[in-house]
Amino acid sequence: MRSLWYCCVVWLTLCAQAVQADSAEQLFARYEPALLQVRVLENASGAKASIGTGFVLEQPNLLVTNYHVVSEAVLFPEKYQLEYLAQDQSKGQLKVLAVDVINDLALVQTDYQPAQRFAIQPSKPVQGVTLYSLGNPHALGMILVPGTYNGLQKYSFYPRIHFTGAVNSGMSGGPTVDASGKVVGINVASAGNQLGFLVPAQALTALL
Protein backbone atom coordinates (compact mmCIF):
# COMPACT_ATOMS: atom_id res chain seq x y z
CA MET A 1 0.00 0.00 0.00
CA ARG A 2 2.82 2.35 0.93
CA SER A 3 4.57 1.54 -2.37
CA LEU A 4 1.38 2.40 -4.30
CA TRP A 5 1.03 5.70 -2.41
CA TYR A 6 4.66 6.58 -3.19
CA CYS A 7 4.16 5.83 -6.90
CA CYS A 8 1.07 8.08 -6.98
CA VAL A 9 2.99 10.92 -5.36
CA VAL A 10 5.84 10.56 -7.85
CA TRP A 11 3.40 10.44 -10.79
CA LEU A 12 1.56 13.56 -9.62
CA THR A 13 4.84 15.40 -9.11
CA LEU A 14 6.03 14.52 -12.60
CA CYS A 15 2.68 15.60 -14.07
CA ALA A 16 2.89 18.95 -12.27
CA GLN A 17 6.43 19.48 -13.54
CA ALA A 18 5.33 18.65 -17.09
CA VAL A 19 2.43 21.14 -16.91
CA GLN A 20 4.76 23.85 -15.58
CA ALA A 21 7.31 23.13 -18.35
CA ASP A 22 4.59 23.32 -21.01
CA SER A 23 3.33 26.57 -19.52
CA ALA A 24 6.81 28.10 -19.51
CA GLU A 25 7.44 26.94 -23.07
CA GLN A 26 4.15 28.39 -24.28
CA LEU A 27 4.74 31.68 -22.48
CA PHE A 28 8.16 32.07 -24.02
CA ALA A 29 6.98 31.21 -27.53
CA ARG A 30 4.07 33.63 -27.24
CA TYR A 31 5.90 36.64 -25.83
CA GLU A 32 9.46 36.36 -27.15
CA PRO A 33 8.63 38.56 -30.21
CA ALA A 34 7.65 41.39 -27.82
CA LEU A 35 11.10 41.35 -26.17
CA LEU A 36 13.80 43.64 -27.54
CA GLN A 37 17.46 44.13 -26.83
CA VAL A 38 18.00 47.80 -25.95
CA ARG A 39 21.37 49.13 -27.10
CA VAL A 40 23.17 52.34 -26.16
CA LEU A 41 25.45 53.25 -29.04
CA GLU A 42 28.21 55.83 -29.30
CA ASN A 43 27.31 58.40 -31.95
CA ALA A 44 30.87 58.76 -33.16
CA SER A 45 31.82 55.11 -33.59
CA GLY A 46 28.55 53.19 -33.46
CA ALA A 47 30.07 50.95 -30.79
CA LYS A 48 27.85 49.49 -28.06
CA ALA A 49 28.32 51.29 -24.75
CA SER A 50 25.78 49.16 -22.86
CA ILE A 51 22.86 46.81 -23.43
CA GLY A 52 19.70 45.76 -21.65
CA THR A 53 16.25 44.35 -22.29
CA GLY A 54 12.96 46.05 -23.05
CA PHE A 55 9.41 44.83 -23.60
CA VAL A 56 6.59 46.22 -25.73
CA LEU A 57 3.38 47.17 -23.94
CA GLU A 58 -0.13 46.83 -25.28
CA GLN A 59 -0.26 50.64 -25.32
CA PRO A 60 0.71 51.77 -28.85
CA ASN A 61 4.41 52.30 -29.57
CA LEU A 62 5.57 52.02 -25.95
CA LEU A 63 8.59 50.07 -24.73
CA VAL A 64 9.57 49.63 -21.07
CA THR A 65 13.09 49.24 -19.73
CA ASN A 66 15.20 50.34 -16.75
CA TYR A 67 16.35 53.92 -16.47
CA HIS A 68 19.90 52.76 -15.80
CA VAL A 69 19.89 50.98 -19.19
CA VAL A 70 19.18 54.22 -21.11
CA SER A 71 20.59 56.81 -18.69
CA GLU A 72 23.71 57.62 -20.74
CA ALA A 73 21.57 58.49 -23.76
CA VAL A 74 19.30 60.61 -21.55
CA LEU A 75 22.14 62.50 -19.88
CA PHE A 76 24.46 62.79 -22.89
CA PRO A 77 22.30 62.79 -26.06
CA GLU A 78 25.09 64.44 -28.04
CA LYS A 79 27.29 61.41 -27.36
CA TYR A 80 24.89 58.44 -27.31
CA GLN A 81 21.83 57.15 -29.14
CA LEU A 82 19.39 54.29 -28.53
CA GLU A 83 18.63 51.36 -30.79
CA TYR A 84 16.62 48.17 -30.49
CA LEU A 85 17.40 44.74 -31.87
CA ALA A 86 14.38 42.45 -32.35
CA GLN A 87 14.07 38.67 -32.50
CA ASP A 88 13.94 38.82 -36.30
CA GLN A 89 17.20 40.85 -36.29
CA SER A 90 15.42 44.04 -37.36
CA LYS A 91 16.72 47.28 -35.84
CA GLY A 92 15.29 50.70 -35.18
CA GLN A 93 15.71 53.92 -33.26
CA LEU A 94 14.32 54.51 -29.76
CA LYS A 95 13.32 57.76 -28.07
CA VAL A 96 12.93 58.18 -24.29
CA LEU A 97 9.55 59.71 -23.40
CA ALA A 98 9.49 59.57 -19.60
CA VAL A 99 11.59 58.28 -16.72
CA ASP A 100 11.17 57.39 -13.06
CA VAL A 101 14.66 57.57 -11.62
CA ILE A 102 13.60 56.47 -8.12
CA ASN A 103 12.04 53.25 -9.40
CA ASP A 104 14.59 52.85 -12.22
CA LEU A 105 12.03 52.84 -15.05
CA ALA A 106 11.92 54.38 -18.52
CA LEU A 107 9.15 54.62 -21.11
CA VAL A 108 10.55 54.59 -24.61
CA GLN A 109 8.93 55.25 -27.98
CA THR A 110 9.37 52.55 -30.63
CA ASP A 111 8.08 51.80 -34.10
CA TYR A 112 8.37 48.04 -33.52
CA GLN A 113 4.99 46.32 -33.81
CA PRO A 114 4.89 42.70 -32.54
CA ALA A 115 1.71 40.68 -32.90
CA GLN A 116 1.59 39.92 -29.15
CA ARG A 117 2.32 42.53 -26.48
CA PHE A 118 2.62 42.60 -22.71
CA ALA A 119 -0.13 43.73 -20.33
CA ILE A 120 0.26 44.68 -16.65
CA GLN A 121 -1.14 42.47 -13.89
CA PRO A 122 -3.24 44.81 -11.69
CA SER A 123 -3.17 42.55 -8.60
CA LYS A 124 -0.24 41.33 -6.53
CA PRO A 125 0.86 37.68 -6.81
CA VAL A 126 0.29 35.19 -4.03
CA GLN A 127 3.31 34.47 -1.84
CA GLY A 128 5.26 31.48 -3.18
CA VAL A 129 3.74 31.46 -6.67
CA THR A 130 6.02 30.73 -9.64
CA LEU A 131 6.97 33.70 -11.82
CA TYR A 132 8.96 33.86 -15.05
CA SER A 133 11.70 36.39 -15.69
CA LEU A 134 12.47 37.20 -19.34
CA GLY A 135 15.55 38.89 -20.71
CA ASN A 136 18.80 38.74 -22.64
CA PRO A 137 21.62 37.80 -20.23
CA HIS A 138 25.09 38.82 -21.38
CA ALA A 139 23.68 39.31 -24.93
CA LEU A 140 23.44 35.52 -25.35
CA GLY A 141 19.83 35.60 -26.55
CA MET A 142 16.42 35.88 -24.93
CA ILE A 143 15.70 33.33 -22.20
CA LEU A 144 13.03 32.53 -19.61
CA VAL A 145 14.00 31.96 -15.97
CA PRO A 146 11.47 30.49 -13.51
CA GLY A 147 11.54 31.63 -9.89
CA THR A 148 9.45 32.27 -6.81
CA TYR A 149 7.60 35.39 -5.67
CA ASN A 150 8.66 36.20 -2.11
CA GLY A 151 6.85 39.47 -1.56
CA LEU A 152 8.45 42.87 -1.16
CA GLN A 153 12.03 43.09 0.05
CA LYS A 154 12.16 43.95 3.74
CA TYR A 155 14.04 47.01 5.00
CA SER A 156 14.33 48.50 1.52
CA PHE A 157 13.88 52.26 1.07
CA TYR A 158 12.29 51.73 -2.36
CA PRO A 159 9.79 48.91 -3.04
CA ARG A 160 11.47 45.91 -4.62
CA ILE A 161 10.08 42.42 -5.16
CA HIS A 162 12.26 39.60 -3.83
CA PHE A 163 12.43 37.05 -6.67
CA THR A 164 14.14 33.69 -6.17
CA GLY A 165 15.57 33.32 -9.67
CA ALA A 166 18.64 34.27 -11.68
CA VAL A 167 18.50 37.86 -12.98
CA ASN A 168 21.77 38.36 -14.84
CA SER A 169 23.45 41.31 -16.51
CA GLY A 170 21.63 42.16 -19.74
CA MET A 171 18.25 41.12 -18.34
CA SER A 172 17.77 44.56 -16.76
CA GLY A 173 14.53 46.12 -17.96
CA GLY A 174 12.96 42.82 -18.97
CA PRO A 175 9.56 41.73 -17.64
CA THR A 176 8.78 39.15 -15.00
CA VAL A 177 5.38 37.64 -15.63
CA ASP A 178 2.89 35.30 -13.99
CA ALA A 179 1.51 32.11 -15.55
CA SER A 180 -0.96 34.16 -17.61
CA GLY A 181 1.83 36.28 -19.14
CA LYS A 182 0.85 39.46 -17.26
CA VAL A 183 3.71 41.66 -16.02
CA VAL A 184 4.09 41.68 -12.22
CA GLY A 185 7.57 43.23 -12.08
CA ILE A 186 10.50 44.59 -14.06
CA ASN A 187 13.98 43.06 -13.69
CA VAL A 188 16.28 45.53 -11.98
CA ALA A 189 19.06 43.92 -9.93
CA SER A 190 20.69 40.72 -8.71
CA ALA A 191 22.55 39.74 -5.57
CA GLY A 192 23.72 36.43 -7.05
CA ASN A 193 22.91 32.90 -5.88
CA GLN A 194 19.40 32.90 -7.41
CA LEU A 195 18.57 36.16 -5.65
CA GLY A 196 16.93 38.74 -7.89
CA PHE A 197 14.98 41.95 -7.40
CA LEU A 198 12.14 43.43 -9.43
CA VAL A 199 10.44 46.82 -9.60
CA PRO A 200 6.75 46.21 -8.78
CA ALA A 201 4.38 46.61 -11.73
CA GLN A 202 2.45 49.23 -9.76
CA ALA A 203 5.36 51.65 -10.25
CA LEU A 204 5.07 51.17 -14.02
CA THR A 205 1.32 51.81 -13.85
CA ALA A 206 1.99 55.06 -11.99
CA LEU A 207 4.55 56.16 -14.60
CA LEU A 208 2.11 55.41 -17.41
Side-chain angles (χ1 to χ4, degrees):
M1 188 69 179
R2 180 176 297 178
S3 176
L4 178 61
W5 176 83
Y6 176 77
C7 289
C8 288
V9 170
V10 171
W11 181 79
L12 289 172
T13 301
L14 291 174
C15 286
Q17 290 176 345
V19 169
Q20 181 175 358
D22 287 343
S23 174
E25 182 180 355
Q26 291 165 4
L27 275 175
F28 187 70
R30 185 179 182 189
Y31 287 102
E32 185 186 12
L35 297 169
L36 299 176
Q37 184 183 89
V38 178
R39 299 173 159 191
V40 180
L41 305 177
E42 293 183 354
N43 288 329
S45 65
K48 283 186 290 186
S50 62
I51 59 171
T53 302
F55 60 99
V56 182
L57 286 176
E58 59 184 357
Q59 289 85 344
N61 304 317
L62 280 185
L63 178 79
V64 178
T65 189
N66 287 145
Y67 171 69
H68 77 256
V69 171
V70 300
S71 60
E72 287 182 305
V74 172
L75 297 172
F76 308 105
E78 72 286 350
K79 188 175 180 181
Y80 299 101
Q81 61 179 301
L82 295 175
E83 177 186 80
Y84 70 78
L85 176 67
Q87 175 197 28
D88 60 5
Q89 299 303 303
S90 62
K91 299 178 181 179
Q93 297 298 307
L94 297 173
K95 178 183 178 183
V96 176
L97 299 177
V99 300
D100 177 349
V101 177
I102 290 176
N103 287 300
D104 202 351
L105 293 174
L107 285 178
V108 183
Q109 185 179 50
T110 178
D111 62 358
Y112 182 68
Q113 303 289 332
Q116 181 66 47
R117 306 178 191 200
F118 288 94
I120 299 172
Q121 175 59 262
S123 58
K124 294 181 180 179
V126 177
Q127 183 84 14
V129 73
T130 297
L131 300 178
Y132 304 92
S133 177
L134 299 158
N136 189 349
H138 306 289
L140 295 175
M142 294 296 175
I143 66 167
L144 179 148
V145 177
T148 306
Y149 174 80
N150 294 294
L152 293 180
Q153 180 187 5
K154 294 181 179 180
Y155 315 117
S156 176
F157 191 71
Y158 304 119
R160 294 289 184 267
I161 292 171
H162 175 194
F163 171 71
T164 306
V167 177
N168 291 298
S169 177
M171 296 179 71
S172 292
T176 294
V177 302
D178 59 17
S180 69
K182 297 286 183 66
V183 177
V184 299
I186 299 89
N187 304 332
V188 72
S190 173
N193 297 318
Q194 302 293 304
L195 185 59
F197 298 100
L198 319 171
V199 178
Q202 289 74 19
L204 175 55
T205 300
L207 181 58
L208 284 166

